[in-house]
Amino acid sequence: MAAAKSARKTATAKKPTTARKPRRKKAEPKSKGLTPAEVASDSVEYPTELLEAVRTDGGEVLGVYREPLGGHPTIFAVLPIDKVEPTPYQRDLSEPHVKRLANAMERLDRYLDPVIAVRKDGMYWTPNGNHRLNASKLLGAKSIVALVLPDEDVAYQILALNTEKAHNLKERSLEVIRMYRGLVGADRKGHETAFAHLFEEPSFVTLGAAYEKRPRYSAGAYHPFVKVLEDFQELPLKEALALREARADRLLELDDAVVAVVNTLKERGLQSPYLKNFVVARINFLRFRKNGGKPDFNATIDRMLASARKFNVDTVKREDIGRMGGGPMEPDEESA
């Protein structure tokens, strides 16, 4: 008994401690940004061409100011609703969310949350207001209030700006790969690392490419180890995109092998929404990796593929799957 207690204590003591992110230091009060007078000041050069364009497009300028944090010029305007559209890169519309928003707006009889917009080819792209825009259209609105910004690159800041409905992994990944393709199509120069602030996480690019090829891909099972493998690349965007697509193909190859194991387990009467998570956890040798250099992507997938193809389903017990305890799954994913 004493020996068992001693062993448990030793095992507990050897558990690696999770590295905590350093706490963000609180800024000194009133140390950044503009005063109210500076926000309202007209002493800076405002984007007169954009002001004229808003009026030419049938909109009305309600005011111009400098936003209070960075001092960037911002136009407060009301735009014809048929002139506003979502950026081509963001997630697909959720019809239930649109209906909930429309019902709330109808009960209040008010629209109080301006969208952000940038002018593009005579239209206004909104990176953060697609659901509010469509809710307004559902109610038959003629116009929509917007903060119009002169910087077109704001159209790519979707993940940072879009807080009206929480993104799941599939939505984040598809938005990132769509932005990525938009940047490549626009022949934007620079290495992938230069655009890291737009994409947030390199794994989103690879998983987004996988979702494009397989819309019902269950990325939630693979995301934990793909995050470990991926880095932003010191390659031009077009070359990096080709690399991401090749890596997406490897992930789908692995998914095929995992699904084959899952189907065999189902045939043996083992039913659980977490079967795929269970199989991936079993073949994910990175769980036992100590801190060190970043593992090679292809070598890791090769090793996991080999493990999946020789997976011994005879050793799997029902209670083993039960111990998964409801591992993380995306709400739009299926177990196989």
Side-chain angles (χ1 to χ4, degrees):
M1 179 70 81
K5 285 183 179 178
S6 176
R8 283 197 296 270
K9 285 180 181 178
T10 304
T12 304
K14 288 182 178 179
K15 278 189 177 180
T17 55
T18 305
R20 292 184 179 179
K21 291 182 179 179
R23 284 189 177 183
R24 181 184 178 88
K25 291 183 178 179
K26 188 176 180 180
E28 289 293 324
K30 302 180 183 179
S31 63
K32 187 174 177 62
L34 308 181
T35 65
E38 289 169 333
V39 168
S41 171
D42 59 1
S43 61
V44 295
E45 186 177 342
Y46 286 113
T48 52
E49 288 185 12
L50 184 55
L51 291 170
E52 289 301 320
V54 168
R55 297 183 180 104
T56 302
D57 294 334
E60 289 292 337
V61 175
L62 304 177
V64 183
Y65 65 95
R66 292 192 291 172
E67 54 82 23
L69 190 60
H72 305 288
T74 303
I75 299 171
F76 185 38
V78 57
L79 303 170
I81 201 162
D82 56 359
K83 284 279 187 179
V84 183
E85 60 186 13
T87 66
Y89 319 121
Q90 57 189 290
R91 63 181 162 192
D92 299 326
L93 201 68
S94 166
E95 293 295 343
H97 187 58
V98 169
K99 290 176 182 177
R100 285 195 298 271
L101 275 175
N103 290 339
M105 290 161 60
E106 192 169 40
R107 285 197 304 272
L108 288 171
D109 196 28
R110 284 175 172 82
Y111 179 88
L112 300 173
D113 195 0
V115 299
I116 294 170
V118 294
R119 191 172 187 269
K120 183 74 172 178
D121 301 327
M123 296 294 290
Y124 293 84
W125 282 2
T126 175
N128 80 322
N130 193 17
H131 289 90
R132 279 170 281 161
L133 173 65
N134 278 272
S136 297
K137 287 182 176 180
L138 186 62
L139 293 174
K142 300 175 183 177
S143 60
I144 193 166
V145 178
L147 302 178
V148 184
L149 310 183
D151 183 3
E152 280 190 18
D153 277 355
V154 172
Y156 294 99
Q157 302 281 354
I158 298 170
L159 294 181
L161 292 171
N162 201 333
T163 57
E164 67 179 15
K165 177 178 178 287
H167 295 57
N168 61 33
L169 179 58
K170 181 177 183 179
E171 291 170 336
R172 290 198 302 271
S173 301
L174 283 173
E175 284 187 353
V176 165
I177 194 63
R178 289 167 184 171
M179 281 192 286
Y180 206 116
R181 294 193 186 283
L183 290 166
V184 171
D187 199 26
R188 294 293 291 270
K189 305 300 180 186
H191 288 180
E192 186 185 74
T193 49
F195 299 91
H197 63 290
L198 299 179
F199 306 139
E200 288 195 5
E201 187 180 298
S203 61
F204 292 158
V205 187
T206 304
L207 294 176
Y211 270 121
E212 286 183 327
K213 298 166 188 282
R214 186 173 295 173
R216 298 190 75 81
Y217 178 59
S218 303
Y222 303 98
H223 185 219
F225 76 80
V226 176
K227 281 200 301 184
V228 174
L229 298 175
E230 287 287 28
D231 262 335
F232 286 113
Q233 302 292 314
E234 287 291 348
L235 291 171
L237 278 176
K238 192 171 183 179
E239 292 180 31
L241 179 58
L243 174 66
R244 297 292 182 189
E245 290 176 328
R247 289 185 172 184
D249 287 337
R250 296 303 318 277
L251 289 176
L252 295 180
E253 183 184 4
L254 177 61
D255 188 53
D256 290 337
V258 169
V259 168
V261 177
V262 169
N263 289 339
T264 303
L265 291 172
K266 286 181 175 179
E267 289 168 5
R268 290 170 172 261
L270 294 169
Q271 297 292 332
S272 169
Y274 303 105
L275 280 177
K276 179 171 282 188
N277 296 65
F278 171 79
V279 174
V280 173
R282 277 283 183 97
I283 66 175
N284 179 14
F285 64 93
L286 295 179
R287 291 183 300 153
F288 310 106
R289 167 179 164 268
K290 295 181 179 179
N291 290 336
K294 187 167 284 291
D296 179 76
F297 187 95
N298 283 316
T300 300
I301 300 300
D302 285 341
R303 186 170 166 182
M304 293 180 73
L305 259 174
S307 296
R309 287 167 178 162
K310 65 181 183 183
F311 194 100
N312 187 357
V313 296
D314 294 330
T315 63
V316 178
K317 300 175 182 176
R318 195 176 302 275
E319 54 266 30
D320 295 334
I321 298 170
R323 280 197 291 269
M324 285 295 294
M329 286 186 68
E330 292 295 322
D332 59 321
E333 293 173 354
E334 294 188 340
S335 60

